[in-house]
Amino acid sequence: MTDYADLAPSSRRIMTPGPVEVDPRVLRALSYPILGQFDPEFTAIMNETMGMLRLLFRTDNKWAYPVDGTSRSGIEAVLTSLIEPGDRVLIPIYGRFGHLLHEIAERVGGEVTTIEKPWGTVFDPAEVIAAMDRVRPELVVMVHGETSTGRMQPLEAIGRECRRRDILFVVDAVATIGGVPVETDAWCMDAVIGGTQKCLSVPSGMAPVTYNGRAEEKVLARKRIERGLRMPQDSTEIPGRGLAAAVQHAYIRSNYLDLSQLQDYWSPSRLNHHTEMTSMLYGLREGLRILLQEGLDARFERHRLHEKALTAGLQAMGASLYGDPACKLPVVTCVNIPEGIDGDSVRAMLLEKFGIEIASSFGPLKGRIWRIGTMGYSCRRDNILQLLGAFEAVLLRHGVRLPAGEAVQAALHIYEQQASSKADV
Amino acid sequence: MTDYADLAPSSRRIMTPGPVEVDPRVLRALSYPILGQFDPEFTAIMNETMGMLRLLFRTDNKWAYPVDGTSRSGIEAVLTSLIEPGDRVLIPIYGRFGHLLHEIAERVGGEVTTIEKPWGTVFDPAEVIAAMDRVRPELVVMVHGETSTGRMQPLEAIGRECRRRDILFVVDAVATIGGVPVETDAWCMDAVIGGTQKCLSVPSGMAPVTYNGRAEEKVLARKRIERGLRMPQDSTEIPGRGLAAAVQHAYIRSNYLDLSQLQDYWSPSRLNHHTEMTSMLYGLREGLRILLQEGLDARFERHRLHEKALTAGLQAMGASLYGDPACKLPVVTCVNIPEGIDGDSVRAMLLEKFGIEIASSFGPLKGRIWRIGTMGYSCRRDNILQLLGAFEAVLLRHGVRLPAGEAVQAALHIYEQQASSKADV
């Protein structure tokens, strides 16, 4: 029973839409000895992390903290806490992760109406606003950056119109947070869910969320008085109903993902809930620290530069990019797989021979596109140049005819342009 | 915005009932560069971890994998997947974490009946069996090791009688797994939830679970066909009901904590669900590897030895131990706080001056007992001896009259006895 080998993962350049390579400083933070969850040193780290998350989300919200689980746990925590069974929920879908929002919203009891756009495009905000007026939902829930198709939805006009109609606007910014601007307050988003394993370059395991007073009001209306704290006269409880509010609201059906309990745990009262993930929080704090040291705007600029070099390289080798370029997600680049080429064989050779990982896609796009992520710590010049060279070699090996050598040169050209324009300033 | 300091947690001896100190080998594993979640090297690590978990749980179950969240996420995943709304659930409660099981079971829709024992005691199995015959539940759910009171419930007779009556028996072994025997198969437990941050000495963040074919049958009956995979004739869906089964079962109301989806993700089909927590899985694998190298029986013996030394030391200084000794949980020792002593002041001085953390308790025991954990990597001779010396000094400083110097000598005596009995063999 003792014949399990030492952990020895191979070295990888991870150029998928997540998880991506973890910054070595974050890896180091993960390896620090832990503190107890109520140790004053640790609760100070919790508070500090909340402050950093507010800067990340560009918000003055009181609540900004990680849910202890992968990104999808953050989405479910927000939806199960904000959607009361029977609430009308409008979900505009333009890729796989919109369908996931539908799936989760329905499971937690929402009366979901969806509108859909063909994959590879996004919504004109007017289409969403028209649907809002037709459906009259309590919530609009949608994806900011859809990694399945590499598209990004403009949100500002939708947010403004939600606010005017007193609709809660919930946004899945898992793929975009830390890589492209996500303006929680300016875009009138009432709740936003971020991801760690993409543009933050922290391992999967936490889901930073933020929500404002409008969202908190709904959470608190559904707060359930815990057993042992109830008064005897409360005992004639209506099944499935809370006890506290004047208008009775259905209580939140999860304990683990109940934002009303989580915010008590993250408040000065530190009401005991789960045991905080100490090591993951160390990692998240360090990832946020790196991000704030780089500066959000500089970071967004870096992501745009490497996207430009990557796409210039791909185009120089004659690759065809998938989707409407007007709404391209800067941190994911989708490439049409050439006719007659086995996409998985190309990916396998890239991984096995070159140690570089890129992704396939889902559903209607499975076998039709490759997806290349340029996120966080993986979004680096050496990665772009090595990927382009390796990708070219693998395509040649698979019989694709292309102008050899052009891709890397085109990318180098972009980088030199950038360097000289900087020198000009 | 760049004035956040380097992470620099103080050195701590963590002698609480969790989280406890993390084995340095586990900390090192956390710091390894990550692999992508579908990288064949990573899925091999997932499979290997499942095999190690079967050994930990002492089971031949097909399903043994971690849920991605803290221990409570594993409890909720099992309860929300196995309790169909309206199911009768019997929950015997003898401490705080039994109340938590009640809270979660009720939120997910169970018709819960509880029976209670005074804190500091456990159930005679016959009492639970009698309640089973009265309530006729679909499930019995209970805690194995109750850290709030430091008691441990014998489970074997209850498990056997559940099986005879075709009742699902679900056990929260968060506090005991890896520290005292947990015999999943021999005790007829249909689903067991373990914890990482206690006797496994892996940071909080994953919840290993196992369940057998009887539990899986219920999970699969409630499996919901995902949107996009349904046939048109299925569209006249009864709200809240699944579509597949002959007898219609209510589908599982969580997506994130849905065992039917999680087991697909952990199966060879690798159906995409969440993004696996790579670094945490590295840590869990290393923690399990350390445990299997030590050997489960040797590990249990080690926990008993250090408990013996600790209690001998505490008794030698005149401390009074809380609770019925016949059902003491070996990995948690509860000490009655002497009359007139501020328990929190003692704990604070231990932490601030000596870097040693012990715990208080909850509810009726708050301010009445201290709880000392001897779990996993924290369960070491140097920790026991240092704690006893420091605890004595702090109690003296708080005006407690006690025979100075006796505690450490008593513990040393136990260790010497042990060494000479080993030498005799």
Side-chain angles (χ1 to χ4, degrees), chain A residues 193-218:
Chain A
I193 304 101
T196 56
Q197 78 280 13
K198 298 176 189 277
C199 299
L200 293 185
S201 288
V202 170
S204 172
M206 289 192 138
V209 300
T210 188
Y211 51 94
N212 61 18
R214 288 159 44 84
E216 186 186 8
E217 197 180 328
K218 184 135 188 194

PDB file of all heavy atoms in Angstrom, chain A residues 193-218:
ATOM      1  N   ILE A 193     -19.943  37.123 -10.290  1.00  0.00           N
ATOM      2  CA  ILE A 193     -19.156  35.964  -9.873  1.00  0.00           C
ATOM      3  C   ILE A 193     -17.877  35.931 -10.709  1.00  0.00           C
ATOM      4  O   ILE A 193     -17.936  35.984 -11.937  1.00  0.00           O
ATOM      5  CB  ILE A 193     -19.924  34.639 -10.093  1.00  0.00           C
ATOM      6  CG1 ILE A 193     -21.267  34.674  -9.384  1.00  0.00           C
ATOM      7  CG2 ILE A 193     -19.077  33.452  -9.614  1.00  0.00           C
ATOM      8  CD1 ILE A 193     -22.459  34.962 -10.278  1.00  0.00           C
ATOM      9  N   GLY A 194     -16.730  35.847 -10.050  1.00  0.00           N
ATOM     10  CA  GLY A 194     -15.452  35.747 -10.752  1.00  0.00           C
ATOM     11  C   GLY A 194     -14.876  34.345 -10.637  1.00  0.00           C
ATOM     12  O   GLY A 194     -15.387  33.506  -9.902  1.00  0.00           O
ATOM     13  N   GLY A 195     -13.808  34.083 -11.370  1.00  0.00           N
ATOM     14  CA  GLY A 195     -13.124  32.787 -11.295  1.00  0.00           C
ATOM     15  C   GLY A 195     -11.678  32.998 -10.903  1.00  0.00           C
ATOM     16  O   GLY A 195     -11.110  34.061 -11.139  1.00  0.00           O
ATOM     17  N   THR A 196     -11.072  31.999 -10.298  1.00  0.00           N
ATOM     18  CA  THR A 196      -9.668  32.133  -9.890  1.00  0.00           C
ATOM     19  C   THR A 196      -8.716  31.529 -10.908  1.00  0.00           C
ATOM     20  O   THR A 196      -7.598  32.012 -11.069  1.00  0.00           O
ATOM     21  CB  THR A 196      -9.411  31.411  -8.549  1.00  0.00           C
ATOM     22  OG1 THR A 196      -9.811  30.048  -8.666  1.00  0.00           O
ATOM     23  CG2 THR A 196     -10.159  32.081  -7.420  1.00  0.00           C
ATOM     24  N   GLN A 197      -9.139  30.451 -11.581  1.00  0.00           N
ATOM     25  CA  GLN A 197      -8.202  29.617 -12.336  1.00  0.00           C
ATOM     26  C   GLN A 197      -7.987  30.109 -13.760  1.00  0.00           C
ATOM     27  O   GLN A 197      -7.402  29.425 -14.566  1.00  0.00           O
ATOM     28  CB  GLN A 197      -8.672  28.159 -12.325  1.00  0.00           C
ATOM     29  CG  GLN A 197      -9.799  27.815 -13.284  1.00  0.00           C
ATOM     30  CD  GLN A 197     -11.181  28.203 -12.783  1.00  0.00           C
ATOM     31  OE1 GLN A 197     -11.339  28.947 -11.828  1.00  0.00           O
ATOM     32  NE2 GLN A 197     -12.199  27.731 -13.469  1.00  0.00           N
ATOM     33  N   LYS A 198      -8.495  31.308 -14.050  1.00  0.00           N
ATOM     34  CA  LYS A 198      -8.342  31.854 -15.391  1.00  0.00           C
ATOM     35  C   LYS A 198      -7.436  33.084 -15.314  1.00  0.00           C
ATOM     36  O   LYS A 198      -6.232  32.952 -15.105  1.00  0.00           O
ATOM     37  CB  LYS A 198      -9.715  32.128 -15.994  1.00  0.00           C
ATOM     38  CG  LYS A 198     -10.543  30.833 -16.131  1.00  0.00           C
ATOM     39  CD  LYS A 198     -11.942  31.056 -16.641  1.00  0.00           C
ATOM     40  CE  LYS A 198     -12.791  29.814 -16.555  1.00  0.00           C
ATOM     41  NZ  LYS A 198     -12.614  28.879 -17.669  1.00  0.00           N
ATOM     42  N   CYS A 199      -7.980  34.283 -15.458  1.00  0.00           N
ATOM     43  CA  CYS A 199      -7.113  35.469 -15.541  1.00  0.00           C
ATOM     44  C   CYS A 199      -6.447  35.832 -14.211  1.00  0.00           C
ATOM     45  O   CYS A 199      -5.533  36.653 -14.191  1.00  0.00           O
ATOM     46  CB  CYS A 199      -7.890  36.638 -16.123  1.00  0.00           C
ATOM     47  SG  CYS A 199      -8.468  36.290 -17.802  1.00  0.00           S
ATOM     48  N   LEU A 200      -6.878  35.243 -13.086  1.00  0.00           N
ATOM     49  CA  LEU A 200      -6.175  35.504 -11.822  1.00  0.00           C
ATOM     50  C   LEU A 200      -4.984  34.570 -11.629  1.00  0.00           C
ATOM     51  O   LEU A 200      -4.112  34.837 -10.802  1.00  0.00           O
ATOM     52  CB  LEU A 200      -7.119  35.364 -10.628  1.00  0.00           C
ATOM     53  CG  LEU A 200      -8.247  36.382 -10.497  1.00  0.00           C
ATOM     54  CD1 LEU A 200      -8.997  36.156  -9.177  1.00  0.00           C
ATOM     55  CD2 LEU A 200      -7.717  37.811 -10.544  1.00  0.00           C
ATOM     56  N   SER A 201      -4.971  33.443 -12.351  1.00  0.00           N
ATOM     57  CA  SER A 201      -3.848  32.495 -12.261  1.00  0.00           C
ATOM     58  C   SER A 201      -3.608  31.962 -10.853  1.00  0.00           C
ATOM     59  O   SER A 201      -2.470  31.812 -10.401  1.00  0.00           O
ATOM     60  CB  SER A 201      -2.563  33.107 -12.827  1.00  0.00           C
ATOM     61  OG  SER A 201      -2.665  33.180 -14.227  1.00  0.00           O
ATOM     62  N   VAL A 202      -4.719  31.694 -10.195  1.00  0.00           N
ATOM     63  CA  VAL A 202      -4.729  31.016  -8.898  1.00  0.00           C
ATOM     64  C   VAL A 202      -5.409  29.669  -9.179  1.00  0.00           C
ATOM     65  O   VAL A 202      -6.282  29.604 -10.033  1.00  0.00           O
ATOM     66  CB  VAL A 202      -5.542  31.859  -7.880  1.00  0.00           C
ATOM     67  CG1 VAL A 202      -5.789  31.106  -6.591  1.00  0.00           C
ATOM     68  CG2 VAL A 202      -4.844  33.197  -7.633  1.00  0.00           C
ATOM     69  N   PRO A 203      -5.014  28.590  -8.505  1.00  0.00           N
ATOM     70  CA  PRO A 203      -5.664  27.314  -8.836  1.00  0.00           C
ATOM     71  C   PRO A 203      -7.167  27.355  -8.622  1.00  0.00           C
ATOM     72  O   PRO A 203      -7.673  28.138  -7.807  1.00  0.00           O
ATOM     73  CB  PRO A 203      -5.015  26.319  -7.861  1.00  0.00           C
ATOM     74  CG  PRO A 203      -3.746  26.946  -7.433  1.00  0.00           C
ATOM     75  CD  PRO A 203      -3.982  28.430  -7.473  1.00  0.00           C
ATOM     76  N   SER A 204      -7.867  26.502  -9.322  1.00  0.00           N
ATOM     77  CA  SER A 204      -9.295  26.321  -9.105  1.00  0.00           C
ATOM     78  C   SER A 204      -9.545  25.945  -7.647  1.00  0.00           C
ATOM     79  O   SER A 204      -8.790  25.168  -7.076  1.00  0.00           O
ATOM     80  CB  SER A 204      -9.799  25.208 -10.019  1.00  0.00           C
ATOM     81  OG  SER A 204     -11.130  24.878  -9.710  1.00  0.00           O
ATOM     82  N   GLY A 205     -10.601  26.503  -7.061  1.00  0.00           N
ATOM     83  CA  GLY A 205     -10.914  26.146  -5.680  1.00  0.00           C
ATOM     84  C   GLY A 205     -11.667  27.212  -4.916  1.00  0.00           C
ATOM     85  O   GLY A 205     -12.228  26.941  -3.862  1.00  0.00           O
ATOM     86  N   MET A 206     -11.680  28.438  -5.438  1.00  0.00           N
ATOM     87  CA  MET A 206     -12.457  29.491  -4.798  1.00  0.00           C
ATOM     88  C   MET A 206     -13.201  30.272  -5.882  1.00  0.00           C
ATOM     89  O   MET A 206     -12.743  30.354  -7.019  1.00  0.00           O
ATOM     90  CB  MET A 206     -11.559  30.451  -4.041  1.00  0.00           C
ATOM     91  CG  MET A 206     -10.964  29.840  -2.792  1.00  0.00           C
ATOM     92  SD  MET A 206     -10.192  31.106  -1.740  1.00  0.00           S
ATOM     93  CE  MET A 206     -10.736  30.548  -0.136  1.00  0.00           C
ATOM     94  N   ALA A 207     -14.312  30.866  -5.480  1.00  0.00           N
ATOM     95  CA  ALA A 207     -15.103  31.658  -6.419  1.00  0.00           C
ATOM     96  C   ALA A 207     -15.380  33.020  -5.794  1.00  0.00           C
ATOM     97  O   ALA A 207     -16.275  33.155  -4.967  1.00  0.00           O
ATOM     98  CB  ALA A 207     -16.413  30.944  -6.735  1.00  0.00           C
ATOM     99  N   PRO A 208     -14.601  34.043  -6.158  1.00  0.00           N
ATOM    100  CA  PRO A 208     -14.865  35.374  -5.606  1.00  0.00           C
ATOM    101  C   PRO A 208     -16.209  35.890  -6.111  1.00  0.00           C
ATOM    102  O   PRO A 208     -16.506  35.802  -7.302  1.00  0.00           O
ATOM    103  CB  PRO A 208     -13.726  36.233  -6.177  1.00  0.00           C
ATOM    104  CG  PRO A 208     -12.709  35.271  -6.730  1.00  0.00           C
ATOM    105  CD  PRO A 208     -13.471  34.043  -7.098  1.00  0.00           C
ATOM    106  N   VAL A 209     -17.002  36.416  -5.192  1.00  0.00           N
ATOM    107  CA  VAL A 209     -18.285  37.023  -5.576  1.00  0.00           C
ATOM    108  C   VAL A 209     -18.376  38.410  -4.940  1.00  0.00           C
ATOM    109  O   VAL A 209     -17.716  38.696  -3.944  1.00  0.00           O
ATOM    110  CB  VAL A 209     -19.501  36.179  -5.113  1.00  0.00           C
ATOM    111  CG1 VAL A 209     -19.463  34.777  -5.714  1.00  0.00           C
ATOM    112  CG2 VAL A 209     -19.595  36.106  -3.596  1.00  0.00           C
ATOM    113  N   THR A 210     -19.190  39.257  -5.550  1.00  0.00           N
ATOM    114  CA  THR A 210     -19.556  40.522  -4.916  1.00  0.00           C
ATOM    115  C   THR A 210     -21.028  40.778  -5.194  1.00  0.00           C
ATOM    116  O   THR A 210     -21.562  40.321  -6.208  1.00  0.00           O
ATOM    117  CB  THR A 210     -18.685  41.699  -5.412  1.00  0.00           C
ATOM    118  OG1 THR A 210     -18.981  42.867  -4.617  1.00  0.00           O
ATOM    119  CG2 THR A 210     -18.942  42.026  -6.878  1.00  0.00           C
ATOM    120  N   TYR A 211     -21.694  41.456  -4.270  1.00  0.00           N
ATOM    121  CA  TYR A 211     -23.089  41.842  -4.495  1.00  0.00           C
ATOM    122  C   TYR A 211     -23.383  43.082  -3.681  1.00  0.00           C
ATOM    123  O   TYR A 211     -22.755  43.356  -2.666  1.00  0.00           O
ATOM    124  CB  TYR A 211     -24.064  40.698  -4.174  1.00  0.00           C
ATOM    125  CG  TYR A 211     -23.882  40.047  -2.834  1.00  0.00           C
ATOM    126  CD1 TYR A 211     -24.617  40.460  -1.715  1.00  0.00           C
ATOM    127  CD2 TYR A 211     -22.979  38.989  -2.663  1.00  0.00           C
ATOM    128  CE1 TYR A 211     -24.462  39.850  -0.481  1.00  0.00           C
ATOM    129  CE2 TYR A 211     -22.808  38.388  -1.428  1.00  0.00           C
ATOM    130  CZ  TYR A 211     -23.549  38.821  -0.337  1.00  0.00           C
ATOM    131  OH  TYR A 211     -23.377  38.227   0.889  1.00  0.00           O
ATOM    132  N   ASN A 212     -24.373  43.839  -4.150  1.00  0.00           N
ATOM    133  CA  ASN A 212     -24.647  45.142  -3.534  1.00  0.00           C
ATOM    134  C   ASN A 212     -25.830  45.069  -2.559  1.00  0.00           C
ATOM    135  O   ASN A 212     -26.374  43.990  -2.290  1.00  0.00           O
ATOM    136  CB  ASN A 212     -24.873  46.187  -4.639  1.00  0.00           C
ATOM    137  CG  ASN A 212     -26.062  45.845  -5.532  1.00  0.00           C
ATOM    138  OD1 ASN A 212     -26.919  45.036  -5.161  1.00  0.00           O
ATOM    139  ND2 ASN A 212     -26.114  46.462  -6.702  1.00  0.00           N
ATOM    140  N   GLY A 213     -26.235  46.217  -2.069  1.00  0.00           N
ATOM    141  CA  GLY A 213     -27.314  46.278  -1.086  1.00  0.00           C
ATOM    142  C   GLY A 213     -28.649  45.792  -1.626  1.00  0.00           C
ATOM    143  O   GLY A 213     -29.460  45.237  -0.876  1.00  0.00           O
ATOM    144  N   ARG A 214     -28.888  45.999  -2.926  1.00  0.00           N
ATOM    145  CA  ARG A 214     -30.136  45.515  -3.528  1.00  0.00           C
ATOM    146  C   ARG A 214     -30.204  43.991  -3.461  1.00  0.00           C
ATOM    147  O   ARG A 214     -31.245  43.408  -3.152  1.00  0.00           O
ATOM    148  CB  ARG A 214     -30.221  45.952  -4.994  1.00  0.00           C
ATOM    149  CG  ARG A 214     -30.475  47.430  -5.211  1.00  0.00           C
ATOM    150  CD  ARG A 214     -30.044  47.915  -6.627  1.00  0.00           C
ATOM    151  NE  ARG A 214     -30.435  47.039  -7.711  1.00  0.00           N
ATOM    152  CZ  ARG A 214     -31.633  47.042  -8.319  1.00  0.00           C
ATOM    153  NH1 ARG A 214     -32.550  47.915  -7.945  1.00  0.00           N
ATOM    154  NH2 ARG A 214     -31.885  46.199  -9.297  1.00  0.00           N
ATOM    155  N   ALA A 215     -29.085  43.365  -3.773  1.00  0.00           N
ATOM    156  CA  ALA A 215     -29.033  41.897  -3.706  1.00  0.00           C
ATOM    157  C   ALA A 215     -29.094  41.437  -2.254  1.00  0.00           C
ATOM    158  O   ALA A 215     -29.796  40.476  -1.914  1.00  0.00           O
ATOM    159  CB  ALA A 215     -27.770  41.387  -4.385  1.00  0.00           C
ATOM    160  N   GLU A 216     -28.363  42.137  -1.391  1.00  0.00           N
ATOM    161  CA  GLU A 216     -28.335  41.729   0.020  1.00  0.00           C
ATOM    162  C   GLU A 216     -29.737  41.777   0.644  1.00  0.00           C
ATOM    163  O   GLU A 216     -30.094  40.936   1.464  1.00  0.00           O
ATOM    164  CB  GLU A 216     -27.386  42.632   0.817  1.00  0.00           C
ATOM    165  CG  GLU A 216     -27.216  42.146   2.254  1.00  0.00           C
ATOM    166  CD  GLU A 216     -26.400  43.098   3.130  1.00  0.00           C
ATOM    167  OE1 GLU A 216     -26.095  44.215   2.669  1.00  0.00           O
ATOM    168  OE2 GLU A 216     -26.085  42.711   4.265  1.00  0.00           O
ATOM    169  N   GLU A 217     -30.530  42.765   0.225  1.00  0.00           N
ATOM    170  CA  GLU A 217     -31.888  42.887   0.761  1.00  0.00           C
ATOM    171  C   GLU A 217     -32.676  41.595   0.509  1.00  0.00           C
ATOM    172  O   GLU A 217     -33.384  41.095   1.382  1.00  0.00           O
ATOM    173  CB  GLU A 217     -32.570  44.069   0.071  1.00  0.00           C
ATOM    174  CG  GLU A 217     -33.791  44.581   0.768  1.00  0.00           C
ATOM    175  CD  GLU A 217     -34.377  45.767  -0.009  1.00  0.00           C
ATOM    176  OE1 GLU A 217     -33.592  46.529  -0.651  1.00  0.00           O
ATOM    177  OE2 GLU A 217     -35.603  45.924   0.012  1.00  0.00           O
ATOM    178  N   LYS A 218     -32.522  41.069  -0.699  1.00  0.00           N
ATOM    179  CA  LYS A 218     -33.238  39.825  -1.030  1.00  0.00           C
ATOM    180  C   LYS A 218     -32.691  38.650  -0.218  1.00  0.00           C
ATOM    181  O   LYS A 218     -33.450  37.802   0.270  1.00  0.00           O
ATOM    182  CB  LYS A 218     -33.103  39.541  -2.522  1.00  0.00           C
ATOM    183  CG  LYS A 218     -33.883  38.328  -2.963  1.00  0.00           C
ATOM    184  CD  LYS A 218     -34.646  38.576  -4.221  1.00  0.00           C
ATOM    185  CE  LYS A 218     -35.560  37.406  -4.534  1.00  0.00           C
ATOM    186  NZ  LYS A 218     -36.060  37.479  -5.908  1.00  0.00           N
TER     187      LYS A 218
END
